[in-house]
Amino acid sequence: MQKKEKSLSERVADDIFAMITIDKRFVIGDKLPNENELSSELKISRTTLREAIRILIAHNILEIKRGKGTYIKAIHNFNENLKLEELSTTKLNARDLYEMRLIFEPQTAYYAAKRATDKELERILYYGRLEEEKILNNEDRTEVEQAFHKSIAKATHNEFMNKLMPILYKAIDKGVILSDENEHIIQDTLNDHRMIMDFLSNRDAEGAKTAMKIHILHAMRGLDIYND
């Protein structure tokens, strides 16, 4: 059965949710910008914005405080919990974590290239370039790399894939720690991310899939955890 296409208000709700969970613009307790400001930023009507906010209120992510405004109430996924928490907190070694990435992320890049909205693609490229900047400035890139890969996962429009991301973060975090002293891995990361971004920009799904696979294999070989 073909997946029903999301309405504009649902896509806007997704965008606001991404501002919270990926961009980290808001945290629990923060007030959203006023209606005029936010609708102008998102280039939508106030009616569409109100519908999107109603969706997020229904999912207990936002709440309206009468006379004060709209506030972030909680940060969680839109859909019911798939009980993956115990797996995400399990002590897994680097090889197992990277094998999970190798299984899932190339296909994630494939579907992101096909399904990403222009705004989602813009977010992916923003974080890819920001990570490059942090690498070149010898700054910690952990959160930015998470945001880059999470943006790609979100652009698949596959909610199960998004639920796997907390597990994959463990591999990303461990990879950043282990690769910080390895110039070869860092250079591979720069080159690979540029390649991934180029294919995504051109909406070349097969190219993006291959580039992501190469990226993960480069990391595994650099960390000496790849078993053919």
mmCIF file of all heavy atoms in Angstrom, residues 8-10 12-13 16 34-54:
data_model
loop_
_atom_site.group_PDB
_atom_site.id
_atom_site.type_symbol
_atom_site.label_atom_id
_atom_site.label_comp_id
_atom_site.label_asym_id
_atom_site.label_seq_id
_atom_site.Cartn_x
_atom_site.Cartn_y
_atom_site.Cartn_z
ATOM 1 N N LEU A 8 0.481 19.739 4.157
ATOM 2 C CA LEU A 8 1.405 20.841 4.415
ATOM 3 C C LEU A 8 1.557 21.074 5.915
ATOM 4 O O LEU A 8 2.675 21.262 6.414
ATOM 5 C CB LEU A 8 0.907 22.116 3.733
ATOM 6 C CG LEU A 8 1.755 23.382 3.979
ATOM 7 C CD1 LEU A 8 3.198 23.173 3.545
ATOM 8 C CD2 LEU A 8 1.132 24.580 3.258
ATOM 9 N N SER A 9 0.461 21.040 6.649
ATOM 10 C CA SER A 9 0.547 21.274 8.097
ATOM 11 C C SER A 9 1.353 20.182 8.789
ATOM 12 O O SER A 9 2.095 20.459 9.749
ATOM 13 C CB SER A 9 -0.848 21.376 8.709
ATOM 14 O OG SER A 9 -1.598 20.203 8.460
ATOM 15 N N GLU A 10 1.254 18.946 8.321
ATOM 16 C CA GLU A 10 2.050 17.853 8.891
ATOM 17 C C GLU A 10 3.533 18.055 8.592
ATOM 18 O O GLU A 10 4.391 17.787 9.440
ATOM 19 C CB GLU A 10 1.581 16.512 8.338
ATOM 20 C CG GLU A 10 0.237 16.061 8.889
ATOM 21 C CD GLU A 10 -0.298 14.831 8.187
ATOM 22 O OE1 GLU A 10 -0.069 14.669 6.967
ATOM 23 O OE2 GLU A 10 -0.967 14.015 8.854
ATOM 24 N N VAL A 12 4.982 20.934 8.104
ATOM 25 C CA VAL A 12 5.416 22.057 8.933
ATOM 26 C C VAL A 12 5.639 21.588 10.371
ATOM 27 O O VAL A 12 6.609 21.990 11.031
ATOM 28 C CB VAL A 12 4.381 23.207 8.886
ATOM 29 C CG1 VAL A 12 4.743 24.290 9.913
ATOM 30 C CG2 VAL A 12 4.325 23.802 7.489
ATOM 31 N N ALA A 13 4.755 20.711 10.866
ATOM 32 C CA ALA A 13 4.948 20.142 12.208
ATOM 33 C C ALA A 13 6.290 19.407 12.268
ATOM 34 O O ALA A 13 7.023 19.507 13.268
ATOM 35 C CB ALA A 13 3.797 19.199 12.549
ATOM 36 N N ILE A 16 9.084 22.016 12.544
ATOM 37 C CA ILE A 16 9.202 22.571 13.894
ATOM 38 C C ILE A 16 9.829 21.542 14.826
ATOM 39 O O ILE A 16 10.685 21.870 15.660
ATOM 40 C CB ILE A 16 7.822 23.017 14.416
ATOM 41 C CG1 ILE A 16 7.278 24.167 13.554
ATOM 42 C CG2 ILE A 16 7.913 23.462 15.886
ATOM 43 C CD1 ILE A 16 5.841 24.542 13.846
ATOM 44 N N ASN A 34 6.740 34.248 18.141
ATOM 45 C CA ASN A 34 5.328 34.556 17.939
ATOM 46 C C ASN A 34 4.864 34.111 16.549
ATOM 47 O O ASN A 34 5.670 33.830 15.662
ATOM 48 C CB ASN A 34 5.047 36.047 18.191
ATOM 49 C CG ASN A 34 5.677 36.955 17.147
ATOM 50 O OD1 ASN A 34 5.526 36.759 15.948
ATOM 51 N ND2 ASN A 34 6.416 37.955 17.614
ATOM 52 N N GLU A 35 3.574 34.063 16.402
ATOM 53 C CA GLU A 35 2.955 33.503 15.190
ATOM 54 C C GLU A 35 3.422 34.190 13.917
ATOM 55 O O GLU A 35 3.750 33.530 12.922
ATOM 56 C CB GLU A 35 1.436 33.623 15.327
ATOM 57 C CG GLU A 35 0.651 32.794 14.346
ATOM 58 C CD GLU A 35 -0.834 32.884 14.611
ATOM 59 O OE1 GLU A 35 -1.437 33.873 14.127
ATOM 60 O OE2 GLU A 35 -1.389 32.000 15.280
ATOM 61 N N ASN A 36 3.461 35.517 13.924
ATOM 62 C CA ASN A 36 3.878 36.254 12.724
ATOM 63 C C ASN A 36 5.325 35.939 12.348
ATOM 64 O O ASN A 36 5.652 35.723 11.180
ATOM 65 C CB ASN A 36 3.719 37.759 12.937
ATOM 66 C CG ASN A 36 2.270 38.202 12.950
ATOM 67 O OD1 ASN A 36 1.419 37.522 12.386
ATOM 68 N ND2 ASN A 36 1.986 39.320 13.605
ATOM 69 N N GLU A 37 6.188 35.926 13.351
ATOM 70 C CA GLU A 37 7.613 35.683 13.129
ATOM 71 C C GLU A 37 7.863 34.264 12.599
ATOM 72 O O GLU A 37 8.598 34.073 11.625
ATOM 73 C CB GLU A 37 8.374 35.886 14.439
ATOM 74 C CG GLU A 37 9.880 35.753 14.327
ATOM 75 C CD GLU A 37 10.571 35.940 15.664
ATOM 76 O OE1 GLU A 37 9.963 36.568 16.567
ATOM 77 O OE2 GLU A 37 11.707 35.451 15.814
ATOM 78 N N LEU A 38 7.221 33.266 13.229
ATOM 79 C CA LEU A 38 7.461 31.879 12.841
ATOM 80 C C LEU A 38 6.852 31.559 11.483
ATOM 81 O O LEU A 38 7.470 30.866 10.665
ATOM 82 C CB LEU A 38 6.905 30.938 13.911
ATOM 83 C CG LEU A 38 7.336 29.470 13.834
ATOM 84 C CD1 LEU A 38 8.859 29.342 13.781
ATOM 85 C CD2 LEU A 38 6.777 28.688 15.018
ATOM 86 N N SER A 39 5.655 32.075 11.212
ATOM 87 C CA SER A 39 5.033 31.814 9.905
ATOM 88 C C SER A 39 5.836 32.474 8.793
ATOM 89 O O SER A 39 5.971 31.924 7.690
ATOM 90 C CB SER A 39 3.578 32.303 9.881
ATOM 91 O OG SER A 39 3.510 33.697 10.123
ATOM 92 N N SER A 40 6.409 33.644 9.077
ATOM 93 C CA SER A 40 7.250 34.323 8.090
ATOM 94 C C SER A 40 8.531 33.532 7.839
ATOM 95 O O SER A 40 8.950 33.363 6.681
ATOM 96 C CB SER A 40 7.584 35.731 8.585
ATOM 97 O OG SER A 40 8.479 36.373 7.701
ATOM 98 N N GLU A 41 9.162 33.033 8.906
ATOM 99 C CA GLU A 41 10.386 32.243 8.765
ATOM 100 C C GLU A 41 10.143 30.977 7.952
ATOM 101 O O GLU A 41 10.951 30.588 7.108
ATOM 102 C CB GLU A 41 10.930 31.871 10.140
ATOM 103 C CG GLU A 41 12.171 30.983 10.083
ATOM 104 C CD GLU A 41 12.659 30.558 11.454
ATOM 105 O OE1 GLU A 41 12.264 31.177 12.457
ATOM 106 O OE2 GLU A 41 13.459 29.599 11.529
ATOM 107 N N LEU A 42 9.012 30.312 8.205
ATOM 108 C CA LEU A 42 8.700 29.049 7.529
ATOM 109 C C LEU A 42 8.030 29.258 6.168
ATOM 110 O O LEU A 42 7.775 28.299 5.444
ATOM 111 C CB LEU A 42 7.804 28.188 8.424
ATOM 112 C CG LEU A 42 8.436 27.716 9.739
ATOM 113 C CD1 LEU A 42 7.399 27.054 10.635
ATOM 114 C CD2 LEU A 42 9.590 26.766 9.471
ATOM 115 N N LYS A 43 7.718 30.534 5.868
ATOM 116 C CA LYS A 43 7.093 30.894 4.579
ATOM 117 C C LYS A 43 5.759 30.169 4.385
ATOM 118 O O LYS A 43 5.491 29.564 3.348
ATOM 119 C CB LYS A 43 8.045 30.606 3.410
ATOM 120 C CG LYS A 43 9.330 31.419 3.446
ATOM 121 C CD LYS A 43 10.232 31.093 2.266
ATOM 122 C CE LYS A 43 11.432 32.013 2.205
ATOM 123 N NZ LYS A 43 12.279 31.977 3.397
ATOM 124 N N ILE A 44 4.943 30.250 5.414
ATOM 125 C CA ILE A 44 3.619 29.629 5.389
ATOM 126 C C ILE A 44 2.603 30.622 5.952
ATOM 127 O O ILE A 44 2.965 31.636 6.539
ATOM 128 C CB ILE A 44 3.581 28.336 6.232
ATOM 129 C CG1 ILE A 44 4.054 28.628 7.661
ATOM 130 C CG2 ILE A 44 4.412 27.239 5.594
ATOM 131 C CD1 ILE A 44 3.825 27.516 8.633
ATOM 132 N N SER A 45 1.335 30.294 5.774
ATOM 133 C CA SER A 45 0.287 31.141 6.341
ATOM 134 C C SER A 45 0.154 30.873 7.840
ATOM 135 O O SER A 45 0.564 29.819 8.335
ATOM 136 C CB SER A 45 -1.048 30.852 5.652
ATOM 137 O OG SER A 45 -1.512 29.554 6.004
ATOM 138 N N ARG A 46 -0.439 31.807 8.545
ATOM 139 C CA ARG A 46 -0.662 31.615 9.968
ATOM 140 C C ARG A 46 -1.653 30.472 10.223
ATOM 141 O O ARG A 46 -1.561 29.772 11.227
ATOM 142 C CB ARG A 46 -1.152 32.915 10.611
ATOM 143 C CG ARG A 46 -0.043 33.958 10.740
ATOM 144 C CD ARG A 46 -0.523 35.212 11.434
ATOM 145 N NE ARG A 46 -1.525 35.911 10.618
ATOM 146 C CZ ARG A 46 -2.217 36.966 11.031
ATOM 147 N NH1 ARG A 46 -2.032 37.441 12.258
ATOM 148 N NH2 ARG A 46 -3.089 37.551 10.249
ATOM 149 N N THR A 47 -2.582 30.285 9.287
ATOM 150 C CA THR A 47 -3.551 29.187 9.414
ATOM 151 C C THR A 47 -2.834 27.842 9.394
ATOM 152 O O THR A 47 -3.105 26.965 10.220
ATOM 153 C CB THR A 47 -4.585 29.245 8.270
ATOM 154 O OG1 THR A 47 -5.273 30.490 8.324
ATOM 155 C CG2 THR A 47 -5.580 28.097 8.388
ATOM 156 N N THR A 48 -1.894 27.676 8.456
ATOM 157 C CA THR A 48 -1.131 26.420 8.364
ATOM 158 C C THR A 48 -0.292 26.226 9.622
ATOM 159 O O THR A 48 -0.197 25.119 10.152
ATOM 160 C CB THR A 48 -0.222 26.425 7.121
ATOM 161 O OG1 THR A 48 -1.035 26.556 5.950
ATOM 162 C CG2 THR A 48 0.589 25.147 7.028
ATOM 163 N N LEU A 49 0.317 27.313 10.114
ATOM 164 C CA LEU A 49 1.123 27.222 11.328
ATOM 165 C C LEU A 49 0.268 26.769 12.508
ATOM 166 O O LEU A 49 0.686 25.909 13.298
ATOM 167 C CB LEU A 49 1.765 28.582 11.634
ATOM 168 C CG LEU A 49 2.573 28.648 12.934
ATOM 169 C CD1 LEU A 49 3.740 27.647 12.906
ATOM 170 C CD2 LEU A 49 3.097 30.065 13.167
ATOM 171 N N ARG A 50 -0.938 27.333 12.626
ATOM 172 C CA ARG A 50 -1.813 26.947 13.735
ATOM 173 C C ARG A 50 -2.168 25.460 13.654
ATOM 174 O O ARG A 50 -2.214 24.767 14.679
ATOM 175 C CB ARG A 50 -3.094 27.790 13.703
ATOM 176 C CG ARG A 50 -2.868 29.234 14.106
ATOM 177 C CD ARG A 50 -4.126 30.058 13.930
ATOM 178 N NE ARG A 50 -3.841 31.484 13.996
ATOM 179 C CZ ARG A 50 -4.466 32.398 13.252
ATOM 180 N NH1 ARG A 50 -5.400 32.035 12.392
ATOM 181 N NH2 ARG A 50 -4.154 33.670 13.378
ATOM 182 N N GLU A 51 -2.397 24.964 12.429
ATOM 183 C CA GLU A 51 -2.717 23.541 12.263
ATOM 184 C C GLU A 51 -1.522 22.668 12.675
ATOM 185 O O GLU A 51 -1.682 21.632 13.320
ATOM 186 C CB GLU A 51 -3.097 23.258 10.812
ATOM 187 C CG GLU A 51 -4.438 23.857 10.406
ATOM 188 C CD GLU A 51 -4.694 23.731 8.910
ATOM 189 O OE1 GLU A 51 -3.814 23.208 8.193
ATOM 190 O OE2 GLU A 51 -5.778 24.164 8.460
ATOM 191 N N ALA A 52 -0.314 23.113 12.298
ATOM 192 C CA ALA A 52 0.897 22.365 12.658
ATOM 193 C C ALA A 52 1.088 22.350 14.170
ATOM 194 O O ALA A 52 1.447 21.318 14.755
ATOM 195 C CB ALA A 52 2.120 22.989 11.974
ATOM 196 N N ILE A 53 0.838 23.479 14.797
ATOM 197 C CA ILE A 53 0.973 23.562 16.252
ATOM 198 C C ILE A 53 -0.045 22.656 16.940
ATOM 199 O O ILE A 53 0.265 21.986 17.921
ATOM 200 C CB ILE A 53 0.841 25.027 16.730
ATOM 201 C CG1 ILE A 53 2.124 25.796 16.351
ATOM 202 C CG2 ILE A 53 0.592 25.104 18.236
ATOM 203 C CD1 ILE A 53 2.066 27.278 16.609
ATOM 204 N N ARG A 54 -1.253 22.595 16.373
ATOM 205 C CA ARG A 54 -2.271 21.699 16.942
ATOM 206 C C ARG A 54 -1.811 20.236 16.878
ATOM 207 O O ARG A 54 -2.060 19.449 17.798
ATOM 208 C CB ARG A 54 -3.610 21.872 16.218
ATOM 209 C CG ARG A 54 -4.426 23.060 16.699
ATOM 210 C CD ARG A 54 -5.872 22.959 16.281
ATOM 211 N NE ARG A 54 -6.041 23.168 14.856
ATOM 212 C CZ ARG A 54 -6.259 24.364 14.298
ATOM 213 N NH1 ARG A 54 -6.341 25.449 15.059
ATOM 214 N NH2 ARG A 54 -6.412 24.476 12.997
#
